[in-house]
Each structure stands twice: as C-alpha cells, then as structure tokens.
Amino acid sequence: MSKSLKIVIAVIICLAIGYGSGIATQSSITTWYPTLNKPFFNPPNWLFAPVWTILYVMMGVSAGLVWSKMEVIPLLVKKALWVFAIQLILNALWSFLFFGMCNPFLAFIEILLLWLMILETVKLFKPIDPLANKLLIPYLLWVSFATLLNGAIWWLNS
Amino acid sequence: MSKSLKIVIAVIICLAIGYGSGIATQSSITTWYPTLNKPFFNPPNWLFAPVWTILYVMMGVSAGLVWSKMEVIPLLVKKALWVFAIQLILNALWSFLFFGMCNPFLAFIEILLLWLMILETVKLFKPIDPLANKLLIPYLLWVSFATLLNGAIWWLNS
C-alpha cells in the first residue's frame, strides 16, 4: 500500500472516530452543557468543531506517516500504533463521559490519562518519523488546555 | 433469549476479555514484573489467577442479570451496560499499560479511572437488580486493593 493511501485511511479513521463520538453526545451539548458555569477562559462554542477537525486531520497524517514505516521498523511501529489507537479511543471516551454521562469529574480523570497517552504517543513517534512527532504537538497543547477547562468546569459546578 | 442464556453469554465475554488481556501481557509477568520492588502487602503471585477468575464470573452473572431486565426498563439497562462495557475495556487496558508497556505510573492513573467507572456501574446496577449490584462489590474491593498495590509499586520503583 502506498504512503499516501495509508495517510488517507488514517485521516478517515481519525475523523470518523472524532465525528462519531461527537454525534453520540450532541443532545447534551444543546441541553445540559449551556447550563454549566464556565471559567473566564472558556472559548466560544463555534471554535471547537474547526479546531478538532484540524487536529484529527493532523493526527491522521501523523499516524499514516508512522504506519508507512511498518516495513522498515515493524516492532517500533506496531507498538507506537497500538498506543496511538488507545489514545484515540480514550479521546472518544472523553466525549461519552463528559457529554454522554454529564460527568465532568469522571471526564477530568479520564482526560489526565488521555494527556499522558498522547505524550507516550508523541515520544514513540519521535524516533520513527520526526514530522509525525511534530504533527501531534498542537493536539497535545490543545488537550492540555482542554484538561484545564475540564478541571475548571468540574470545580465551578461541584 | 432466556435469562440463563444471557448470563452464560455475559460470563463468557467477561472471561474472554480477562484471559485475552492476560495472554497479551504474559511475557513481562515472568521477565519484568519479578524485578520490581513490591510493598509488604503484595499477595503471592498464585493468588491473582483464581481471584480474577471468580471476579470475572461474578461480573458476568451481574451483567447478565441486568441484561435480562432489558424488556422492562430498556433505557436504564442500556446506559448501565454501556458503562459496564467501558469498565470492562478499561480493565483490559490496565493489563496492557502495566504489563504490556511496563508503565506502573500510566497504569495507576488508569486504575483510578477504572475504579470510578466500576463505582458508576455499581450505582447504575442498583435500581435495576439488587443482586447484580451486590455481585460487583467484591470486584470493587479488589480493585481498591489493586489500586493501592499499583500505587505502592509505582512509588517503590520510581
């Protein structure tokens, strides 16, 4: 399989999981979420969809680049893609806990784990493909901010 | 589908996921794990397999009992089984993080989330079936102990 095809497949998987978890939890975004107290640094709602779309695309390109090294260093690539897959599932689980279960506390503990798993992915991608590593940095930074936001929302509503 | 068949299916799923996660990580149990410093309350190694087998069976019976109420209170049962499924996946993920990635710190953050998700499951099962609720208490207690053990192992080896 060509490198570009691997990148396209990985981007589609990331976008599908991202939008899937979004759709599953959409109802409470319009009902429960507006009733919560937000911190002063809460961004406007319209910002989340474009930011996440860009991040999922970068994530997919990153995973596709790593996947294209499978023939060269199979063991490192397999381990890295396993950890990548876990962080992607944890990413979807966050939406379920926060919006689906309306439980900012559970979501906060979960996002700490997600952040650590993204950091592991970043570390594992570095020796495989430097660009794949850099493409995940905006994602790590955004989830750092999301962790703060989640923590603040839990605090302000508990 | 009869109540007993639902219980049997749920027990098989729980045992399969439990043993699956065990097999995937077996190599480091004999290589990496014996090299770690353990706390004084570390139980003998032979204890883990029978304890987990009993706990997975109880977990399966519990989920089967809840599943058998699907026709009566579908919304409550669906939500409870979703949360149950998530805690089961987190249970398997713990083995991957601790034994697969040899990372007691990541595993510790993850087991905190697992503990909270088991607690949510226990709460959601209670109004559906009191026996299903009670069958999860030993599991919650064992994971409380496992959390302590994981935390101590991380501390003693960091």
Side-chain angles (χ1 to χ4, degrees):
Chain A
M1 205 188 290
S2 78
K3 189 174 178 173
S4 357
L5 186 58
K6 283 181 174 171
I7 290 174
V8 170
I9 292 173
V11 169
I12 291 172
I13 292 173
C14 290
L15 284 173
I17 290 188
Y19 283 99
S21 69
I23 289 165
T25 56
Q26 215 159 24
S27 72
S28 68
I29 292 175
T30 50
T31 54
W32 169 74
Y33 188 66
T35 67
L36 293 175
N37 299 318
K38 310 290 189 316
F40 68 92
F41 55 90
N42 190 55
N45 280 350
W46 59 262
L47 193 70
F48 290 98
V51 166
W52 275 112
T53 304
I54 295 164
L55 293 175
Y56 282 122
V57 171
M58 291 172 85
M59 225 187 281
V61 174
S62 173
L65 287 171
V66 166
W67 185 13
S68 73
K69 300 283 171 72
M70 184 68 95
E71 275 76 47
V72 196
I73 32 174
L75 282 181
L76 278 185
V77 168
K78 265 181 209 166
K79 193 187 170 188
L81 290 181
W82 264 105
V83 175
F84 178 87
I86 289 172
Q87 71 75 26
L88 192 60
I89 292 165
L90 290 175
N91 182 304
L93 180 60
W94 183 86
S95 302
F96 179 81
L97 298 181
F98 194 93
F99 292 110
M101 291 179 66
C102 301
N103 195 326
F105 173 63
L106 268 183
F108 180 64
I109 303 294
E110 204 268 350
I111 206 171
L112 293 176
L113 180 67
L114 171 61
W115 190 89
L116 290 165
M117 290 303 290
I118 299 169
L119 190 67
E120 282 299 314
T121 311
V122 167
K123 283 189 208 164
L124 289 168
F125 276 20
K126 197 170 186 181
I128 299 170
D129 189 302
L131 177 59
N133 165 271
K134 286 188 189 71
L135 281 167
L136 291 182
I137 303 300
Y139 175 39
L140 185 66
L141 292 174
W142 180 259
V143 172
S144 309
F145 172 68
T147 304
L148 270 182
L149 187 59
N150 184 160
I153 289 177
W154 165 53
W155 180 259
L156 291 170
N157 295 278
S158 63
Chain B
M1 206 188 289
S2 77
K3 189 175 179 172
S4 358
L5 185 58
K6 283 180 174 172
I7 290 174
V8 170
I9 292 172
V11 168
I12 291 172
I13 292 173
C14 290
L15 284 173
I17 289 188
Y19 283 100
S21 69
I23 289 166
T25 56
Q26 214 160 24
S27 72
S28 68
I29 291 176
T30 51
T31 54
W32 168 75
Y33 188 66
T35 67
L36 294 174
N37 299 318
K38 309 287 191 316
F40 68 94
F41 55 89
N42 190 54
N45 280 349
W46 59 262
L47 193 69
F48 291 98
V51 166
W52 276 112
T53 305
I54 295 165
L55 292 176
Y56 284 122
V57 171
M58 291 172 85
M59 224 187 281
V61 174
S62 174
L65 287 171
V66 166
W67 185 13
S68 72
K69 298 284 170 70
M70 184 68 95
E71 275 75 49
V72 197
I73 32 175
L75 283 180
L76 278 184
V77 168
K78 266 182 208 163
K79 193 185 171 189
L81 290 181
W82 263 107
V83 176
F84 178 88
I86 289 172
Q87 70 75 26
L88 192 60
I89 292 165
L90 290 175
N91 183 304
L93 181 59
W94 183 86
S95 301
F96 178 81
L97 299 181
F98 193 94
F99 291 110
M101 291 179 65
C102 301
N103 195 325
F105 172 62
L106 268 183
F108 180 63
I109 303 294
E110 204 267 350
I111 206 171
L112 293 176
L113 180 66
L114 171 61
W115 191 89
L116 289 165
M117 290 303 289
I118 299 169
L119 190 67
E120 282 299 314
T121 311
V122 167
K123 282 189 209 164
L124 289 168
F125 276 20
K126 197 170 184 181
I128 299 171
D129 189 304
L131 177 59
N133 165 270
K134 287 188 189 72
L135 282 167
L136 291 181
I137 303 300
Y139 176 39
L140 185 66
L141 293 174
W142 180 260
V143 173
S144 310
F145 173 69
T147 304
L148 270 181
L149 188 58
N150 184 159
I153 289 177
W154 166 54
W155 179 258
L156 292 170
N157 295 278
S158 64

